[in-house]
């Protein structure tokens, strides 16, 4: 199976522009894809020149990776005599290992998931169905049930209870389940793929893998681990002089099947930029410039996880919508209750107003009744009491005082009739006073009411009117309310 090219290196003699080419590649890649689509770490080397324009050393610039508080630039090599030395330059390995090595350290690749030899779908008691690896089938020992005490039969052997032992990858443990919980895998099932899209690709710049960097004993092992990781390495390699061979580390990098090495010269620098950029996009899995990135399809495991997450979010949204709906319903219910309460209060206020109106009318009626009573009293003092109907519940007619029963009827010329609320009174003209007449009338009414049944009374008129009509009025007795000759006559009619 051919190995996909993952890493890109540029090799050239000194002074041809390897660092410049790498910088142009990264700048163009950021412009086409954006900073959010890439994670760029690593380092590159820059020349340091003095005031006369002569090269006096090299600095290393950190692009990313490692601790964020690390310096972005360190002095890597200067002209001097302190070891270790490469040519006339003294190399600061301490600063290099403290700042640059952490920046290019490979991220640990997650261990591959164990391959399932006998995959099965298992439904657990909580209803969740997961993929498990069927290991073996076991029989659970059972205790035979003995016969009844009064029976001589041998105990019956209970049926064997079988269960399955499975390995659950999500729990990384073995479990015992019922055989009924297992079912075969679907026909379209495929094992999870290790090539999954786990975020933006990581691009690590190593400029350069040369004699100065190789002075560090940590650098070769770190570079080898980086090449074995998922990161895409873009680096530069020195080109040996004529009749010389590459060093061991450089030679191992060139021999890797996943490494593409491009040779740079002073004459092909511009043409090589387009080729190197195309090769870099291929290493990253990108399409042609200006097109969308060719993303690797996620595995079914990730798709299932995403579906579960989406279902969870949808359930939460539905719960929130239900809560909002319930809250709105409660607010509407409160509004209806408030409206009903207001209407009830208005109705009660209306009833109170009606009750108050009726009370005012009743008070007015009683005032009118009291005025009529006073008018009747004033007329009685003048010798004439009109006859009219009086309500049974009215206070115009009061019960006679028992003490008034002791009065002598012979001293009074009073005739009282009281039938069905109709009252007629004849008062003689010889009465002593109005108060005595009223008392006598009450006493006589009580006595006659007890002695005879009720009767009707009809007013006949005065004695003079009766005489003119040819009737003989009864003999007049002294009336306490009027003068002689002014007595009225009342005829009592049996009911």
């Amino acid at each position: 199976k051919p190995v996909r090219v993952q890493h890109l290196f540029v090799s050239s003699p000194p002074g041809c522009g390897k660092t410049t080419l790498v910088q142009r590649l990264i700048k163009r890649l950021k412009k086409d894809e954006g900073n959010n689509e890439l994670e760029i770490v690593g380092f590159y080397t820059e020349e340091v020149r003095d005031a006369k324009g002569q090269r006096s050393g090299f600095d290393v610039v950190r692009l990313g990776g490692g601790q964020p508080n690390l310096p972005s630039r360190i002095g890597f090599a200067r002209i001097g005599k302190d070891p270790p030395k490469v040519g006339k330059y003294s190399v600061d390995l301490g600063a290099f290992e403290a700042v640059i090595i952490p920046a290019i350290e490979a991220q640990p690749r997650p261990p591959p998931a164990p391959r399932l030899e006998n995959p099965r779908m298992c439904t657990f008691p909580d209803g969740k169905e997961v993929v498990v690896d069927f290991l073996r089938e076991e029989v659970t020992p059972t205790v035979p049930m003995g016969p009844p005490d009064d029976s001589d039969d041998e105990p019956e052997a209970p049926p064997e209870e079988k269960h399955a032992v499975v390995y659950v990858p999500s729990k990384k443990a073995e479990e015992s389940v019922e055989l009924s919980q297992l079912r075969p895998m679907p026909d379209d099932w495929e094992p999870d793929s290790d090539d999954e899209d786990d975020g933006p690709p990581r691009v690590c710049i190593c400029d350069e893998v040369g004699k100065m960097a190789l002075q560090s004993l940590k650098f070769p092992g770190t570079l080898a681990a980086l090449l074995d990781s998922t990161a895409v390495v873009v680096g530069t390699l020195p080109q040996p002089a004529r009749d010389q061979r590459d060093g061991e580390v450089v030679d191992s990098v060139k021999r890797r099947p996943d490494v593409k090495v491009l040779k740079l010269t002073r004459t092909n620098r511009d043409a090589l930029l387009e080729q190197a950029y195309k090769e870099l996009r291929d290493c990253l899995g990108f399409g042609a410039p200006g097109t969308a990135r060719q993303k690797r399809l996620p595995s079914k495991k990730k798709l299932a996880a995403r579906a579960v997450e989406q279902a969870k979010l949808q359930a939460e949204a539905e719960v929130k919508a239900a809560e909002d709906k319930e809250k709105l319903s409660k607010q509407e219910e409160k509004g209806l209750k408030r409206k009903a309460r207001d209407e009830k209060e208005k109705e009660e206020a209306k009833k109170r107003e009606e009750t108050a109106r009726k009370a005012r009318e009743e008070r007015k009626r009683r005032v009118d009744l009291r005025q009529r009573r006073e008018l009747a009293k004033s007329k009685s003092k003048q010798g004439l009491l009109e006859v009219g109907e009086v309500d049974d519940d009215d206070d115009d007619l009061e019960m006679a005082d028992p003490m008034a029963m002791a009065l002598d009827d012979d001293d009074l010329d009073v005739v009282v009739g009281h039938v069905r609320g109709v009252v007629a009174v004849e008062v003689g003209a010889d009465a002593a006073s109005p108060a005595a007449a009223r008392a006598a009338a009450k006493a006589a009414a009580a006595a006659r009411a007890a002695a005879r049944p009720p009767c009707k009374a009809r007013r006949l008129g005065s004695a003079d009117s009766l005489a003119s009509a040819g009737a003989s009025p009864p003999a007049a007795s002294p009336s306490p309310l009027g003068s002689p000759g002014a007595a009225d006559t009342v005829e009592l009619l049996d009911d």
Side-chain angles (χ1 to χ4, degrees):
K1 182 179 180 180
V3 178
R4 182 178 66 88
V5 175
Q6 182 178 345
H7 311 295
L8 180 65
F9 282 84
V10 179
S11 174
S12 74
C16 291
K18 296 186 295 294
T19 301
T20 303
L21 178 63
V22 171
Q23 292 175 349
R24 293 175 66 182
L25 288 175
I26 298 303
K27 183 178 180 180
R28 185 172 176 181
L29 188 63
K30 286 182 178 181
K31 181 180 177 181
D32 291 344
E33 300 299 329
N35 294 330
N36 295 331
E37 293 292 333
L38 298 169
E39 181 187 3
I40 299 177
V41 298
F43 69 97
Y44 63 87
T45 308
E46 283 188 346
E47 293 183 351
V48 177
R49 296 185 179 272
D50 57 16
K52 297 181 181 181
Q54 301 295 324
R55 186 168 61 186
S56 61
F58 298 91
D59 283 350
V60 174
V61 180
R62 185 175 66 90
L63 297 175
Q67 298 296 327
N69 57 351
L70 293 176
S72 59
R73 178 184 289 265
I74 61 171
F76 185 34
R78 293 294 186 270
I79 297 176
K81 298 180 180 181
D82 297 334
K85 291 188 64 176
V86 175
K88 60 181 180 180
Y89 300 102
S90 296
V91 181
D92 188 356
L93 293 181
F96 182 81
E97 292 180 352
V99 177
I100 302 304
I101 295 299
I104 64 174
E105 285 181 344
Q107 294 180 343
R109 177 178 290 185
R115 297 297 178 181
L116 305 182
E117 299 295 335
N118 298 307
R120 299 286 191 279
M121 297 298 297
C122 179
T123 304
F124 286 92
D126 58 357
K128 186 177 180 181
E129 191 175 33
V130 298
V131 179
V132 298
D133 191 11
F134 177 78
L135 299 180
R136 60 188 178 277
E137 184 178 316
E138 293 183 350
V139 178
T140 303
T142 57
V143 179
M145 299 177 59
D149 296 338
D150 55 352
S151 176
D152 296 335
D153 298 338
E154 295 182 357
E156 298 180 357
E160 295 181 347
E161 296 182 1
K162 297 182 179 180
H163 65 277
V165 179
V166 298
Y167 174 77
V168 185
S170 59
K171 299 181 180 179
K172 297 181 180 180
E174 296 182 2
E175 289 191 10
S176 178
V177 298
E178 300 291 337
L179 291 175
S180 59
Q181 297 178 232
L182 301 177
R183 69 179 182 88
M185 299 300 298
D187 296 337
D188 58 347
W189 178 82
E190 294 180 1
D192 293 337
S193 175
D194 295 333
D195 296 332
E196 296 181 358
D197 182 16
D198 293 326
R202 194 168 190 252
V203 180
C204 185
I205 308 300
C206 292
D207 175 36
E208 72 174 346
V209 183
K211 294 180 179 180
M212 292 184 182
L214 293 174
Q215 294 293 319
S216 171
L217 299 179
K218 296 181 179 180
F219 183 73
T222 304
L223 178 62
L226 180 63
L227 294 174
D228 291 335
S229 68
T230 57
V232 175
V233 180
V234 179
T236 60
L237 300 173
Q239 182 174 332
R242 187 173 298 179
D243 298 333
Q244 291 186 358
R245 300 178 59 183
D246 291 319
E248 181 179 357
V249 175
V250 175
D251 184 64
S252 65
V253 170
K254 290 182 177 181
R255 290 178 178 275
R256 288 180 64 99
D258 57 351
V259 171
K260 178 75 171 181
V261 180
L262 301 178
K263 291 185 178 182
L264 176 67
T265 63
R266 295 180 184 273
T267 59
N268 70 344
R269 284 185 295 190
D270 296 334
L272 190 62
L273 176 62
E274 295 298 329
Q275 181 184 355
Y277 186 64
K278 183 180 181 301
E279 294 286 349
L280 177 58
R281 294 186 68 88
D282 292 341
C283 293
L284 291 170
F286 291 178
T291 61
R293 175 187 173 191
Q294 298 176 355
K295 297 183 178 180
R296 299 168 184 168
L297 296 177
S299 64
K300 292 186 177 181
K301 180 179 179 180
K302 278 210 166 186
L303 290 175
R306 292 176 184 176
V308 171
E309 186 67 20
Q310 291 178 357
K312 183 179 179 181
L313 294 176
Q314 184 178 0
E316 292 177 355
E318 292 177 355
V319 170
K320 186 177 180 180
E323 291 178 353
D324 294 342
K325 185 177 180 180
E326 183 179 1
K327 186 177 180 180
L328 183 60
S329 177
K330 288 183 179 179
Q331 291 179 354
E332 293 179 353
E333 185 178 356
K334 287 182 179 179
L336 294 176
K337 288 184 178 179
R338 189 183 302 109
K339 184 177 180 181
R341 184 169 61 251
D342 294 342
E343 292 179 354
K344 185 177 180 181
E345 290 178 356
K346 291 181 180 179
E347 188 69 21
E348 291 178 353
K350 187 176 180 181
K351 289 182 180 180
R352 289 195 298 268
E353 183 65 25
E354 183 68 18
T355 304
R357 185 186 64 79
K358 290 182 178 180
R360 289 194 298 270
E361 292 179 354
E362 180 66 18
R363 286 196 298 270
K364 184 177 180 181
R365 188 188 68 80
R366 292 193 179 191
V367 169
D368 294 343
L369 185 60
R370 190 178 298 111
Q371 291 176 354
R372 290 199 303 271
R373 186 187 305 166
E374 294 295 335
L375 181 60
K377 288 182 180 180
S378 64
K379 287 184 177 182
S380 67
K381 290 181 180 180
Q382 297 175 4
L384 179 60
L385 180 64
E386 295 181 355
V387 178
E389 291 188 1
V390 181
D391 295 337
D392 293 339
D393 59 348
D394 199 0
D395 296 336
D396 289 342
L397 297 179
E398 300 177 355
M399 294 301 295
D401 188 356
M403 296 299 297
M405 300 299 294
L407 296 176
D408 190 2
D409 291 344
D410 296 336
D411 297 334
L412 300 174
D413 187 7
V414 178
V415 179
V416 179
H418 184 200
V419 179
R420 293 180 184 177
V422 180
V423 178
V425 179
E426 178 188 1
V427 182
D430 298 334
S433 66
R438 286 193 296 271
K442 292 178 181 179
R448 285 176 173 77
R452 59 185 297 179
C455 63
K456 292 183 179 179
R458 180 166 57 86
R459 182 170 180 170
L460 301 179
S462 63
D464 297 337
S465 62
L466 291 176
S468 63
S472 57
S477 60
S479 176
L481 297 178
S483 59
D488 290 337
T489 302
V490 178
E491 180 183 9
L492 301 179
L493 303 177
D494 291 338
D495 196 359

